[in-house]
Amino acid sequence: MNEQVLRSLLNVEAEQSISKVQIFDEIDSTNSESLRQIQAGATENRLVVASSQTAGRGRRGRQWLSPKNAGMYFSLTRSFSLEASALQSLSLVTAISVVEALHELGAAKLTLKWPNDVLYEKRKLGGILLELQQKEATRFLVFGIGVNIDLPADSIASIDRPVVDLQSIVGELPAPEALLAALLNQLCRNLNDYERNGFSNFSRRWNELDCYRLSDIVIQNGESRIIGKSLGVGADGSLLLQTSSGTQSITSGEIFPSLHPLS
Ligand code: BTN
């Protein structure tokens, strides 16, 4: 990854959002590094990117396998002036940004699984881990994004769910700088839009990409399971679930397809 090449490909929104770029050959986790830097007093908005991660982290305490050059692994840190409740919808905006950037690069037919898994034919192509961190009076948000580019067969075999990489979807892989710039350009443009106008511009876009909308699903949240029909996301980014006791607004949990159609 070459910083100059990357910078030459950034749009105005991304250029203005990223004061500092740090490129690592190997690191434990770009999110962990970003959080450490906040704790050490770094205040500028910045990007941490690595060719490999030894302790890549996913949502719900999962591991994110990150072999060298097999994926794009990066974290964008921005100071954050919104309410913590905005986190939910921001994670959806981030997922939309990843899909829009990859569509621009020729990856067609990508979908989303609430809250922010990026899928191709129901296999996972990318994931997002948002972390909020307070340092003195300032709150920072770390947008951690991982996209599978060219996964080795042993990694595919060792991941406990269906995964896919960009290599299998597009005819020709973009250069790493072009891929990262496309992701950052779309993300920064959408984050600025979100900061000005909120989630309203995004709920329709999210619902159009949702692969489980109007499907029967199970939401698992710890020990609790709720069964219903997904109605897509509401105005605040929560998932609307039509259940036997009415429509519920779900703010956390994981979707599983229901094995049996619900009556
Ligand atoms: C998920 O579980 O779907 C989220 C995966 C997020 C992985 C990315 S890779 C870059 C950044 N650093 C991490 O340790 N995790 C995120």
Side-chain angles (χ1 to χ4, degrees):
M1 178 70 64
N2 178 299
E3 180 175 348
Q4 267 182 339
V5 177
L6 174 69
R7 283 206 176 270
S8 73
L9 298 171
L10 294 182
N11 64 14
V12 182
E13 289 95 334
E15 186 58 51
Q16 286 173 351
S17 298
I18 303 168
S19 312
K20 191 167 176 191
V21 175
Q22 290 167 295
I23 299 169
F24 293 87
D25 189 41
E26 181 180 283
I27 199 153
D28 54 349
S29 146
T30 57
N31 266 40
S32 302
E33 173 61 20
S34 303
L35 296 173
R36 282 193 294 268
Q37 292 189 15
I38 294 167
Q39 282 313 316
T43 52
E44 71 276 70
N45 290 346
R46 69 204 173 277
L47 172 72
V48 174
V49 53
S51 304
S52 65
Q53 300 183 116
T54 53
R57 294 190 284 114
R59 292 175 61 242
R60 309 189 152 260
R62 290 202 179 101
Q63 179 192 20
W64 186 261
L65 274 186
S66 313
K68 193 169 173 66
N69 297 328
M72 182 59 69
Y73 319 115
F74 70 96
S75 304
L76 177 73
T77 302
R78 276 167 77 115
S79 57
F80 183 69
S81 54
L82 303 161
E83 292 302 310
S85 57
L87 267 178
Q88 167 80 49
S89 47
L90 265 178
S91 83
L92 273 53
V93 171
T94 309
I96 294 170
S97 308
V98 172
V99 170
E100 291 178 344
L102 296 176
H103 276 164
E104 240 175 52
L105 295 171
K109 295 194 284 188
L110 303 185
T111 57
L112 291 172
K113 175 183 167 198
W114 188 85
N116 56 20
D117 284 352
V118 177
L119 306 182
Y120 173 77
E121 293 179 345
K122 302 239 164 116
R123 291 176 286 163
K124 186 150 168 171
L125 174 65
I128 290 151
L129 179 66
L130 250 62
E131 295 186 285
L132 184 62
Q133 173 112 133
Q134 177 108 17
K135 173 74 177 166
E136 285 141 22
T138 316
R139 283 185 298 171
F140 296 91
L141 196 52
V142 176
F143 296 83
I145 299 182
V147 176
N148 302 326
I149 298 178
D150 189 3
L151 286 175
D154 61 335
S155 299
I156 295 177
S158 69
I159 299 172
D160 62 353
R161 53 197 155 148
V163 289
V164 67
D165 57 19
L166 201 54
Q167 159 84 35
S168 329
I169 302 176
V170 294
E172 201 179 326
L173 277 178
E177 292 84 357
L179 172 59
L180 183 52
L183 291 162
L184 291 167
N185 288 345
Q186 203 60 45
L187 178 62
C188 293
R189 186 182 292 144
N190 284 339
L191 291 179
N192 289 353
D193 183 4
Y194 179 93
E195 275 170 359
R196 278 193 303 270
N197 305 311
F199 190 65
S200 58
N201 282 346
F202 295 99
S203 53
R204 185 187 49 78
R205 271 147 84 184
W206 203 95
N207 284 330
E208 281 170 6
L209 292 168
D210 181 1
C211 70
Y212 286 109
R213 195 159 124 89
L214 304 182
S215 300
D216 297 327
I217 56 169
V218 176
I219 300 277
Q220 176 104 35
N221 194 3
E223 293 294 288
S224 115
R225 300 174 96 213
I226 310 175
I227 299 173
K229 177 185 281 196
S230 168
L231 302 178
V233 295
D236 60 353
S238 59
L239 184 72
L240 301 176
L241 193 66
Q242 189 181 65
T243 70
S244 52
S245 55
T247 301
Q248 295 194 28
S249 180
I250 308 288
T251 53
S252 71
E254 184 161 11
I255 291 186
F256 293 91
S258 170
L259 291 179
H260 306 290
L262 307 165
S263 51

